[in-house]
Every structure is written in C-alpha cells, then in structure tokens.
Amino acid sequence: MTQQLLNQAIHHCSRILIGKQQQIKLAITCLLANGHLLIEDLPGMGKTTLSHTLAKVLGLQYSRIQFTSDLLPADMLGINIFDNQAQTFQFHPGPIFSQLVLADEINRASPKTQSALLEAMEERQVSLDGVTRTLPSPFFVIGTQNPAHQAGTYPLPESQLDRFLMRIQLGYPDREAEKTMLLQQYNGEKPQVSEVMSYAQFTAAQQLTVGVHASDELLNYIIRLVTFSRESQQFANPLSPRATKALLSAAKCWAFINNRDYVLPEDVQAILPAVAEHRLRSNSSDINAQGSLSQALLEAVDPLA
Amino acid sequence: MSLWHKFIFKSKRNKVKQSAARDRQHQANNPAFIICSLVLIIFDLSLLDTVLGWISLLVACSVTIRIAIYFAYQKHMPTLRTLNLLALLSIIGLIYSAWPLGFLIGMVNLLVLACALKLMQVRSQRDFYQLVVSLLFLLGCGFIFQQSMAFTLLYSLLSLAVILALGFFHAPNLKVKQQLKQLTMLCLQALPIGLLLFLLLPQLPPLWQTPKAKSSETGLADKITPGDIARLSQSSELAFRATFEGNAPTQQNRYWRAIVMEDFDGRSWQIHPLRKQNRRFQQLVQQEFSPIVAGPSIDYDVIAEPTQQHWLYALDIAVPRTVKSQSEIWQSDEFQLISHQPLVSQYQYALRSYVQTMPRQPLSELDRKLNLSLPTQGNPLTQKWVSTLRQQYPHEQAFINVLLDYFKTENFSYTLRPKPMFVDPVDTFLFEQQAGFCSHYASALAYSLRLGGIPARIVAGYQGGELMAKARQQQYLSVYQYDAHAWVEAWLPDSGWTRLDPTTLVAPDRINFGLRQAMQEEGSFLADSPFALARLTNIALFNNLRLLLADMDYNWSRWVLGFDSQKQQDLFKAIVGKLTPQRLAMLGLAIVAVIGLLLTLFFMPHWYANRLNPVQALYQKALTLLGKNGQIRAHWQGPLDFSLHIQQHLPEAISQPFKRLTESYLQLNYQTQGQDKHKSVSHKKSINTMRRELRLLKNQLSKHQFL
C-alpha cells in the first residue's frame, strides 16, 4: 500500500522531470531514509524543479533559500526583533523553519553561513541568543550546488559533505525525454503538481523501512565495501562509520521502494554511487580518474564471498 | 551492474572512465606489458648466440609494438588475422632454419618465438597468464646455456620481474613500492620451499640430449696442427678448477693431461682412428684400463667448464677416487680419462694422482704400432738428420739427450707469433725458423723420436694454473685456456712412458712461472683481448678484483652448481644417519608432506569457508556450471543482476531453473531471519529446491549442448 503511494509519487515527479526516474527514485529514497540530499549539476538541469516537485508531491511545507556570498546566518535562521508594543524581543523565524528547505546553490554562500545550515541539518534544532528552537519534523534539506570549478563558489569541505546522505547528479536528459519536454511546452500543457501522499503517510512509510530485514551476509557485504575503501590505496577519504550507517539505511529504503522486505546486494549497489561518491576522494592526482571512484569500489568487492 | 547505473554515470566526465575502470587490467598502458617486454628482450640478448637472428628481430618488433602502444604513439594492436599469418610463416621459417640445429635449440627458439608473438597478441587475462608462464619456462631454459653466477643473478632478477608484472597486471594502480613489498613477501614465502626442494628432492639426470655443437671454438681441439694452439693461448677463459685436499703440486709439475695424440701425417697430430675404434670396442664390452699405481698420491676434485666433449683433465697418473666418479669416467690405454657424458655443463669429479710413479706399463702391440708409424713422405731433411744421429748414438737415452741438446744449443726461441710453415713444417721449424711454441717443439721432437725408432706421442693439455688459497680454505687452482700446452711422451724400455717437454729447454719461464711471465718481453700475452682483466695484473686493484671474482665464481660452482646427487647423499647421511632405502623414502615423503601441510594450512580457511555453508556451495556450483558455458559472473555482480543477465543471454529452458535457484538462494541468504534459520523446515525445503534446480540446470545445459 505504502509502496504503491511511493511509486505513484515517483511516477508523478517523473512527469515533471522527464526521463529522470532513477534520480527521482534515489531522491525519495534519501528522504525516506531521513537524510539530506545534495544535487550537484550544471545550471539549468532541473535541480530546483526536482526539489520543488518533491515537496509538493510529498505534501511537505516548503521554503527556499537562495544562497549568495553575502547571505548571513540570521537571514536563514531568523532574527529577534524588539517589539515596541510588547516591550519584548519577538522571534521572527527564518526560512529554515520548514519541513523541506531548498538551499539553492549552497556553495555560493560564505563558509560561515554554510556551517550554520549544516549545524541545523545535523542537530535538527537551532540555537539563537541562548534559546534552542526545534525545527519541524520531518526536516529535510535539499542542497543544490554547481560543480566546484564554476566561478564564485566556496566548495563544501569534506566534513560537511559527509552530512548529506546522498549526492545525485541529474545529467542531461536523453533525446526522447528532451523532445517530450519541448512538445509539452509547445502544446502549452503544463502538468499540474499535486499532493500524492500526506506527510503523515510519509512519516509512517519511514517507520516501516526500519523493519526491512538485512541479513548477516548483507551486513558483511557492506562491511567489506567499507573496509576495502579504508584498506585500498585508491581512496584518500575512506568511508566513515556515518557512511556505513547511511549505506544500510539507504539500501533498506531502496529495497522498501522496490517492494521487498529484505535487502539484497543489488540494493546496496544501486544506492552506493549516490551515497559514497561525494565522500570518497581519489588518492591519485589524475582529475579524470575521480569520477569512477564508487564504481571502482563496487567492482573491487564480491557480494558473495 | 544493472542498467540504471548508466543513468547516474551519464554526466560527461564519468562516461569515459566507467568502461575504463572495468578494463583497466587489460589496458595497454598497464606496466605489466612493459615489464614482460623488457624481460623478453633482455633474455633474448643474453642468448644471442642460440636464438636465431630473425627470431631476435621478431622479438625486437614485438617489444617495439608494445612500447609504442604503452606510450600511446600507436593506438591499435596488430589484428588477430595478421598475427595468425605471422605465426604460420614463423613456424614454417623455424622448421626450415632450426631443423639442422637439433631438437633442444629448435625448442628454445620456438619458445622465444611463441613469447614474442604472444606479447603482440595479449588481450585477455588468459593470454597474459600464458605469456607469464612461457616467460618463466624460457628463463628456466636459459640455465641450459648459461650457468655462471652473473647469469644466475640476471635470470633470477628477470623471474622476479615477471612476477612483478603479474602483480601489476592484477593491481595496475598499486604503487611500485607496494608491489615490491608484495613481491618480497611472496619470495620470502617461496624461499624455504625452494631451498627444501633444491636440497632434498632427488636430482634427476637430464631428460633430453643437450646440444654438442661448436666444439672446436674453445678449449683444446682433438687435432693439433702447429700454429693452432697460438690462438688458444690468447683466451683468458676458464678451462677448469682443481681443489686439492692437501698441498697443490709445484708449478713445474702441473701437467694436466687431456688428449693423447698418436696419429701424425707430416703436418698435424690427432687421435689415431685405430685407437678410437679400439676405444669404442672396449667401451662396448665394458672393459677398462686400470694402471698399476703405487707411491705417494694427491687427492683433488676437478670442476671442468663445459666443452661439449668427453675428455677430462688429470695429473699423471690419475685414478677416479669416488664411486660416482668411477662410474662416470672411463679410462683408456693412454692414461686418458674420458667421461661417458659430454661436458654440457660444469662437471665435477674426484681423482687421486700418483705423481712420482712413472708409468711402468708394458708396451702393447697396438701401442708400439701406433707410436712408431710415420708418414710416408715429407720432411726429408729431418729424416736424413735423424738417421745420421741414430747411427752415431745407438742407445736410446743418448739419442734422446742429443735431440734435446739440439734444442738447447741451437738458437731456438719461444714465441706466440710464429711464421706459418706450410711445406715440410718440421724441416722448416728445425732448420730454418727455429722459433715457435709448445706444439712446434713437441711435434718436432715426437717426429724425430719416431724416426729414431722410439715410440713417441704428443699429449695435449694444460700446464700450470693460478693457485688461489686463503686462510682456512682448501687450495684451489684455476687453469685458463691460455695455459694450454703440448708435450711429448716417449716409451723407453726401462722406464716406460716418459714425459719429455722440449719447451722447458727453450723457455724455462713458460713452465716455471706460466705464460704471462714467459711472454713479458714479446708482449703478446692476451694481445687479442686488450680488456681482459688477466692483462691488468700489474695494477693491484684490478688484480684483487679479478681474484675476488674468480673466488666468488669458484664458490658458486663448488657449492651451488656442484650440488649433485653425491653431495645430496652426504647431506642425507648427515640428517638421517645411515642411508637405507626406507629412510630415504621416509625423508622424501616427509619433505613432500611438510610442503603439502604448509600449503594446506594456507588454503584451509578458504576451503573451510566454502564447505561450511551448503547454500553458498550449491549456488557456487551453479555459477561454475554456467561459467563453463561462457557465462561468467563478474565478481562484483549481485546474484539478482546475474540472474537477469542469464535470462537475457541464455534460452529460457536454462535461465528458468537458474532463476528459481537464485530466488531460493536469495531467500535463504538474505530474507530468512532469526538465529535458528538453519534448522527450520522451510530452510531444508529451500535447499532441496536448490538441489533440484541445479540438477535441472545441468541437464538443460547438456541437452543444449553447451557442455
């Protein structure tokens, strides 16, 4: 039942973002695993559209912060303003107090603002002037960023990249998809985005994914993968225990979306590039070699052994 | 990996690398190929004499192709069609050009050729393994031709390089330091096994006939035409070494007998055909000459360098000292020692020589006949001169003294650069030139003696040698090719065969101090090889270096190459005491058992893990079955993906059982929960399902004629 709803949601999103079903599926998996999502791609690839659509479809309260180099933490978190009438400070919550926050072009903000956001992501609460305020639940951040070599960016440090459960890349649509997109525009059809499931249903689904069974063999496979990343000389940044946990929870959610109550090695393989790619860093100075790191990791480890 | 991965990796910069990661092993810029190329070319250079010219050329081509591909000067490998054509032509060429060279050389050439072609062709993992194995075998073959310490070192290094290439092939991204570390680990593990095998496994005799070609190029020849030995004197190559139990004899007494020549045709001396015939007959009936010996003796071991010939070197009069030497050496009537096997590699034998006993053997009819025979014509001056002398001095000893006196009183000189004497060489030498070296003197004297009715013959061998001795070490003597010498033996009724060396009278230095001393004035010692270390004895550093190298080489020959079955038996004796067949068998078994045990311990965890889980084992069996039919699971592929792959590539009759088997496997392995899952009924049921599906899969595969 729940799986049906989720698949409907995926289907719905892919009507908006044509030909990107796998990425949408991964994004929903990420949210289902209660993780934050980082979308990295060139401008104009549909990053914002995806996050916007996700919020709508899953019935989440949505706000968007456009990151610029002069954005200050207060702009995002909120501010205490003196109320003359009440003779008290009144707290005006910032855009971060939403269930789904789109942090657009996250790497354009100064490191100070970035770390304020990332603290909120990890703690799911905000401390301002000595008062700690809890953020709404569920709380998701979808960050988008341009590839690091674009002008005017502050690349996120590894420690902050690690906070994102997944990083996905949208990539160019294939010919068919792009043609469909053009035709839609030409015909003036604009697919309407509607809510497919309520956030209560979504939270319930999150609860169900915990029950997905991961056998000993599967856990061993994950451990082997992680250990390989630490023992091999290929990776400068091996996978952290946080990444290990992320791998398992993402794999469980993937299995859940695929209508299974147990995890298969294929599930791990499916989510691993999204979960691990941004955490690994190549040891070699060869820039071209960096793209295939998670692929190399997968190919080095036998799921059966 | 399932299809959708491609979506994620579609962005531009990843696209190229995705396939690259998969085939990095086989990529042309893998250092493994370069290492193999270098090994092949170095090996080829080390055996340039043996490997045919055009095959060397092919090797060079193949290596060039590899290097060009490695550095991306050239992007395309030669096509299979080209290579097949090339292989066919090469085989025809090889049959044509290597047929006369004999089996062994032909085979080595074939192997080099195969390696060169394989190097051009290598595409898959299997190809590379074949190349590596062939290269290792080739390096082993190298030892047939080269056994010195330097070459052993070279070939060992090359073998290590091949193993390093294997490492690079499997992990092209690993750093060199890491590769070397792994290589060292491997070698350290292999070392004890290798030592054990070398020391204790029975040493087998060669399984094939080794080549006998090129005999006359180095060493003594079985025919002397005066003028021939001058060339030999110029070579500083080692002839043999002798290790003495006690003190070595003095320089003047070191006459090493090698060949006895009894047939003289007026120009050259050689072994008499009748003698050869007689020898063959005696060997056939296993009859052996044993000299009567008495008096003080010297014990020594000789390590002879390979000559491809049968003759051995010994001081007069030698008898084989050990059982092994006795069985391998045959002694002929002229005190000559002959090995049953040609000396294709360094050969060590043990002798005892009775120095002071002059041979008082009776002169047989055959001996008399051979040693008095004269050429029918030529050298008229000598004939006339001898017949006059013989009339004046009827007594043998007096006649001999007069002959020797002639050398002393006339103005004879010793030279390594005599003028050629074509017509009546003995006449020319005795009465015109009066300058020559040992074989001129020996030839003239022996001929004159025969003319005078005294049985005489020429002995060719070595005289002298360089004594090397260190504290606490046995004395050993190195004899080089430039120590080659020829002298005369005459048979006198009272003393039997007597050694007469006319060279001593003319050039006493040659006998007392060696050739180097004797040739100091003339400057002709090793004149042809200006860089020979032996020429540089005046510079202390070089002399020390030369002696050090000689010493190292000696110890290498003695302890490593000389480790034969005899020494092995001594070692056995030291380990197990008395040598009985049972103990020997026990020891052999023990060694094999120890090695087996070590290997078992090494592989045990692997086997055990496989055996532990019947679910895994059944699934692995199915994988093996499919693997035999060309459907190999990539080692990173998950079971579900592989099942889909099979469904796409094989007919349904095969893919369905495998699909069901995979489902059961997945269920058992990943779905079932709880600690007691191995005991539950459904578990057993599922295993039975797997068994059934496995059988079905097997049947279907054989039915579709895949097996």
Side-chain angles (χ1 to χ4, degrees):
Chain A
M1 226 285 280
T2 322
Q3 278 99 335
Q4 266 177 10
L5 276 179
L6 285 169
N7 283 319
Q8 264 178 34
I10 293 166
H11 180 70
H12 209 83
C13 291
S14 54
R15 270 177 41 223
I16 310 289
L17 205 67
I18 299 150
K20 295 285 166 216
Q21 196 155 5
Q22 291 298 331
Q23 282 87 334
I24 292 165
K25 205 167 159 185
L26 275 174
I28 288 188
T29 307
C30 178
L31 300 186
L32 204 56
N34 217 356
H36 306 291
L37 178 68
L38 183 64
I39 308 175
E40 181 182 289
D41 222 317
L42 297 166
M45 304 293 277
K47 300 188 290 286
T48 317
T49 315
L50 174 63
S51 49
H52 192 79
T53 316
L54 277 176
K56 268 268 177 71
V57 165
L58 299 181
L60 299 172
Q61 183 199 343
Y62 173 78
S63 68
R64 167 180 173 158
I65 311 169
Q66 184 68 42
F67 278 47
T68 56
S69 53
D70 56 355
L71 186 81
L72 293 174
D75 298 337
M76 182 174 72
L77 303 179
I79 192 165
N80 282 314
I81 294 174
F82 189 72
D83 185 348
N84 263 336
Q85 288 181 339
Q87 290 291 306
T88 49
F89 278 96
Q90 189 80 41
F91 179 68
H92 288 256
I96 194 133
F97 287 89
S98 300
Q99 287 172 323
L100 197 151
V101 179
L102 171 64
D104 217 356
E105 304 201 53
I106 195 169
N107 56 349
R108 289 201 187 277
S110 61
K112 190 179 171 185
T113 317
Q114 283 179 2
S115 59
L117 172 72
L118 291 156
E119 189 202 335
M121 281 164 57
E122 189 63 18
E123 311 292 331
R124 292 176 196 262
Q125 61 188 20
V126 172
S127 299
L128 258 180
D129 296 341
V131 184
T132 304
R133 290 171 222 277
T134 319
L135 292 170
S137 171
F139 173 72
F140 302 116
V141 173
I142 296 182
T144 73
Q145 68 170 355
N146 297 324
H149 53 80
Q150 293 252 313
T153 55
Y154 298 91
L156 292 176
E158 283 86 12
S159 61
Q160 300 190 349
L161 278 176
D162 201 27
R163 310 260 165 107
F164 287 99
L165 182 84
M166 282 190 188
R167 185 190 70 178
I168 58 174
Q169 292 165 330
L170 291 174
Y172 298 107
D174 55 29
R175 285 156 174 261
E176 285 300 312
E178 207 153 8
K179 196 172 165 193
T180 318
M181 188 186 81
L182 285 179
L183 281 173
Q184 272 182 7
Q185 198 188 19
Y186 178 74
N187 296 337
E189 296 169 11
K190 198 165 184 208
Q192 289 302 304
V193 188
S194 59
E195 185 180 313
V196 174
M197 60 198 295
S198 68
Y199 88 80
Q201 282 170 320
F202 190 71
T203 324
Q206 278 184 331
Q207 296 299 324
L208 284 175
T209 59
V210 180
V212 173
H213 173 64
S215 70
D216 251 20
E217 277 80 3
L218 188 100
L219 296 184
N220 288 338
Y221 177 47
I222 292 181
I223 298 297
R224 276 200 304 276
L225 281 167
V226 173
T227 319
F228 181 82
S229 81
R230 292 169 195 166
E231 283 170 355
S232 160
Q233 303 297 311
Q234 270 174 287
F235 312 107
N237 270 0
L239 294 175
S240 62
R242 189 185 350 226
T244 318
K245 278 161 71 185
L247 277 177
L248 181 61
S249 55
K252 278 184 172 185
C253 293
W254 185 267
F256 183 76
I257 289 180
N258 283 323
N259 232 335
R260 245 184 292 110
D261 62 348
Y262 56 95
V263 190
L264 284 182
E266 278 83 356
D267 300 324
V268 179
Q269 293 181 346
I271 51 89
L272 188 124
V275 174
E277 189 70 48
H278 60 293
R279 299 171 206 254
L280 295 167
R281 202 156 55 86
S282 167
N283 222 354
S284 95
S285 51
D286 183 8
I287 290 175
N288 292 330
Q290 288 181 351
S292 58
L293 276 182
S294 55
Q295 201 77 3
L297 176 59
L298 279 183
E299 289 179 9
V301 180
D302 188 346
L304 300 187
Chain B
M1 199 110 342
S2 60
L3 268 174
W4 67 270
H5 262 162
K6 290 184 182 146
F7 287 103
I8 292 193
F9 283 93
K10 214 156 188 182
S11 86
K12 231 178 190 174
R13 74 178 165 164
N14 293 338
K15 204 169 179 181
V16 184
K17 272 291 152 179
Q18 188 193 3
S19 59
R22 200 161 293 165
D23 316 318
R24 200 174 300 150
Q25 268 191 348
H26 314 304
Q27 257 176 8
N29 61 8
N30 193 323
F33 297 123
I34 283 294
I35 298 177
C36 284
S37 311
L38 290 181
V39 168
L40 184 60
I41 194 102
I42 293 173
F43 178 82
D44 186 52
L45 290 178
S46 80
L47 282 185
L48 219 48
D49 292 344
T50 314
V51 180
L52 294 168
W54 63 270
I55 292 183
S56 294
L57 203 69
L58 209 64
V59 168
C61 285
S62 160
V63 168
T64 315
I65 288 176
R66 266 295 157 197
I67 290 174
I69 289 176
Y70 180 79
F71 290 107
Y73 300 136
Q74 162 76 24
K75 296 255 160 57
H76 304 289
M77 307 255 291
T79 61
L80 269 182
R81 190 189 273 234
T82 319
L83 285 175
N84 284 338
L85 184 67
L86 193 61
L88 191 71
L89 291 177
S90 301
I91 291 298
I92 294 169
L94 188 70
I95 291 172
Y96 177 73
S97 57
W99 193 258
L101 296 180
F103 178 72
L104 186 76
I105 304 241
M107 283 300 120
V108 170
N109 273 302
L110 178 66
L111 214 54
V112 174
L113 179 73
C115 282
L117 290 173
K118 199 79 207 168
L119 190 65
M120 287 190 203
Q121 186 235 324
V122 173
R123 272 151 224 262
S124 68
Q125 180 167 318
R126 206 182 63 171
D127 289 340
F128 187 75
Y129 286 167
Q130 283 174 353
L131 178 67
V132 162
V133 171
S134 319
L135 275 177
L136 287 176
F137 191 79
L138 200 57
L139 288 172
C141 287
F143 286 110
I144 297 174
F145 303 96
Q146 311 278 14
Q147 293 174 350
S148 72
M149 197 166 53
F151 274 103
T152 309
L153 203 65
L154 177 73
Y155 288 156
S156 313
L157 284 179
L158 289 182
S159 319
L160 290 184
V162 172
I163 298 171
L164 186 69
L166 204 57
F168 267 115
F169 182 74
H170 281 291
N173 292 333
L174 225 53
K175 284 185 185 135
V176 178
K177 208 170 129 193
Q178 227 106 43
Q179 296 277 17
L180 288 178
K181 203 171 134 196
Q182 216 163 31
L183 183 68
T184 321
M185 281 291 289
L186 272 176
C187 291
L188 286 180
Q189 284 169 353
L191 196 65
I193 296 180
L195 270 179
L196 219 57
L197 290 176
F198 174 70
L199 290 177
L200 299 180
L201 226 63
Q203 306 239 335
L204 298 172
L207 294 173
W208 58 77
Q209 195 71 28
T210 35
K212 283 206 241 172
K214 301 181 185 173
S215 59
S216 56
E217 277 187 15
T218 55
L220 288 174
D222 47 10
K223 178 175 182 173
I224 320 184
T225 313
D228 218 28
I229 287 191
R231 182 172 51 80
L232 257 183
S233 304
Q234 310 292 79
S235 158
S236 62
E237 244 175 69
L238 186 70
F240 63 94
R241 288 201 183 89
T243 314
F244 291 91
E245 298 282 304
N247 281 334
T250 52
Q251 173 88 20
Q252 295 94 313
N253 290 322
R254 291 181 210 140
Y255 279 90
W256 299 93
R257 175 190 295 263
I259 315 163
V260 178
M261 298 170 181
E262 290 165 315
D263 179 41
F264 184 57
D265 63 357
R267 289 186 50 80
S268 47
W269 291 82
Q270 58 185 335
I271 302 170
H272 206 285
L274 264 177
R275 179 69 77 188
K276 279 188 186 166
Q277 213 178 340
N278 192 36
R279 238 183 240 173
R280 263 201 296 277
F281 173 72
Q282 281 181 327
Q283 275 179 334
L284 202 68
V285 297
Q286 299 195 328
Q287 193 180 23
E288 192 170 0
F289 172 74
S290 51
I292 305 158
V293 285
S297 61
I298 311 175
D299 287 357
Y300 55 98
D301 288 352
V302 177
I303 306 174
E305 293 292 309
T307 56
Q308 325 295 339
Q309 298 290 351
H310 290 269
W311 62 65
L312 299 173
Y313 321 101
L315 295 168
D316 286 337
I317 288 171
V319 184
R321 189 152 52 88
T322 58
V323 182
K324 175 174 170 277
S325 295
Q326 242 156 32
S327 67
E328 287 170 0
I329 297 175
W330 185 82
Q331 192 157 31
S332 83
D333 289 343
E334 337 82 279
F335 313 111
Q336 197 181 321
L337 297 182
I338 292 162
S339 156
H340 287 308
Q341 299 289 331
L343 270 59
V344 290
S345 62
Q346 279 191 333
Y347 172 59
Q348 183 170 9
Y349 51 98
L351 296 177
R352 172 170 294 156
S353 284
Y354 295 86
V355 193
Q356 282 177 14
T357 332
M358 285 315 284
R360 287 174 193 283
Q361 314 287 345
L363 190 70
S364 72
E365 249 333 286
L366 180 72
D367 283 355
R368 181 179 294 279
K369 192 182 143 205
L370 293 185
N371 287 301
L372 283 174
S373 69
L374 289 164
T376 44
Q377 51 190 5
N379 299 314
L381 288 176
T382 316
Q383 285 185 26
K384 216 158 114 193
W385 176 64
V386 170
S387 66
T388 332
L389 277 183
R390 190 66 172 133
Q391 275 162 18
Q392 284 175 13
Y393 303 93
H395 190 262
E396 272 104 352
Q397 194 57 52
F399 172 65
I400 291 172
N401 286 342
V402 168
L403 282 182
L404 292 177
D405 272 350
Y406 179 76
F407 289 114
K408 240 187 288 188
T409 49
E410 289 286 315
N411 191 22
F412 277 96
S413 66
Y414 189 79
T415 175
L416 287 181
R417 296 162 173 169
K419 292 189 178 117
M421 304 161 210
F422 294 118
V423 187
D424 294 337
V426 180
D427 280 4
T428 323
F429 173 68
L430 278 179
F431 306 111
E432 279 176 39
Q433 307 260 346
Q434 303 201 323
F437 52 86
C438 55
S439 50
H440 292 93
Y441 290 98
S443 167
L445 181 63
Y447 178 57
S448 308
L449 286 171
R450 282 192 181 181
L451 284 175
I454 300 173
R457 61 197 185 191
I458 285 191
V459 183
Y462 296 89
Q463 204 285 324
E466 192 169 18
L467 195 62
M468 314 256 198
K470 288 215 174 124
R472 296 184 295 115
Q473 204 188 318
Q474 285 170 313
Q475 285 190 316
Y476 76 89
L477 199 67
S478 297
V479 179
Y480 297 95
Q481 294 295 358
Y482 58 66
D483 290 318
H485 192 54
W487 59 93
V488 178
E489 265 184 343
W491 192 84
L492 300 172
D494 3 324
S495 53
W497 286 107
T498 311
R499 182 197 304 141
L500 299 170
D501 189 355
T503 315
T504 21
L505 306 171
V506 182
D509 282 353
R510 165 71 185 85
I511 308 305
N512 292 332
F513 304 107
L515 190 67
R516 183 179 303 129
Q517 200 74 19
M519 290 297 103
Q520 220 156 30
E521 280 176 32
E522 198 181 63
S524 59
F525 175 66
L526 291 179
D528 299 339
S529 40
F531 298 111
L533 274 176
R535 269 171 71 92
L536 299 171
T537 40
N538 294 335
I539 307 166
L541 180 70
F542 280 112
N543 201 31
N544 284 343
L545 180 68
R546 185 177 69 89
L547 294 182
L548 183 75
L549 285 178
D551 217 42
M552 275 165 62
D553 200 43
Y554 165 74
N555 282 317
W556 173 254
S557 317
R558 191 168 161 76
W559 296 114
V560 182
L561 296 181
F563 188 83
D564 51 16
S565 45
Q566 181 64 43
K567 286 222 174 91
Q568 200 176 34
Q569 279 186 9
D570 294 347
L571 187 74
F572 280 141
K573 275 181 196 153
I575 298 172
V576 291
K578 219 176 131 216
L579 203 66
T580 61
Q582 286 96 331
R583 281 189 178 174
L584 206 64
M586 292 290 276
L587 193 68
L589 278 179
I591 297 153
V592 175
V594 164
I595 294 173
L597 191 72
L598 286 176
L599 289 177
T600 316
L601 278 179
F602 185 77
F603 286 112
M604 187 92 116
H606 191 67
W607 294 335
Y608 191 65
N610 264 2
R611 184 161 286 206
L612 201 61
N613 190 339
V615 182
Q616 297 278 13
L618 280 170
Y619 186 67
Q620 289 293 347
K621 262 184 203 163
L623 287 185
T624 318
L625 271 179
L626 289 169
K628 277 182 192 160
N629 292 294
Q631 298 296 335
I632 297 166
R633 182 185 75 98
H635 74 275
W636 44 263
Q637 213 166 17
L640 195 60
D641 277 345
F642 185 59
S643 172
L644 288 174
H645 171 88
I646 292 295
Q647 284 169 48
Q648 282 164 14
H649 287 86
L650 289 184
E652 203 161 289
I654 295 168
S655 70
Q656 284 307 310
F658 184 68
K659 187 184 160 208
R660 288 193 290 272
L661 187 136
T662 307
E663 274 163 9
S664 294
Y665 171 73
L666 290 178
Q667 188 221 330
L668 285 168
N669 222 11
Y670 296 103
Q671 193 177 8
T672 326
Q673 305 189 32
Q675 295 295 317
D676 301 327
K677 66 174 181 183
H678 293 297
K679 290 174 190 157
S680 72
V681 183
S682 66
H683 180 82
K684 275 177 192 155
K685 225 175 181 175
S686 299
I687 288 188
N688 285 336
T689 315
M690 282 182 80
R691 289 217 173 93
R692 201 172 53 236
E693 299 298 342
L694 185 66
R695 267 198 302 276
L696 193 59
L697 181 70
K698 208 173 186 172
N699 289 340
Q700 288 296 335
L701 280 172
S702 52
K703 198 185 275 177
H704 284 74
Q705 292 179 332
F706 279 101
L707 275 178

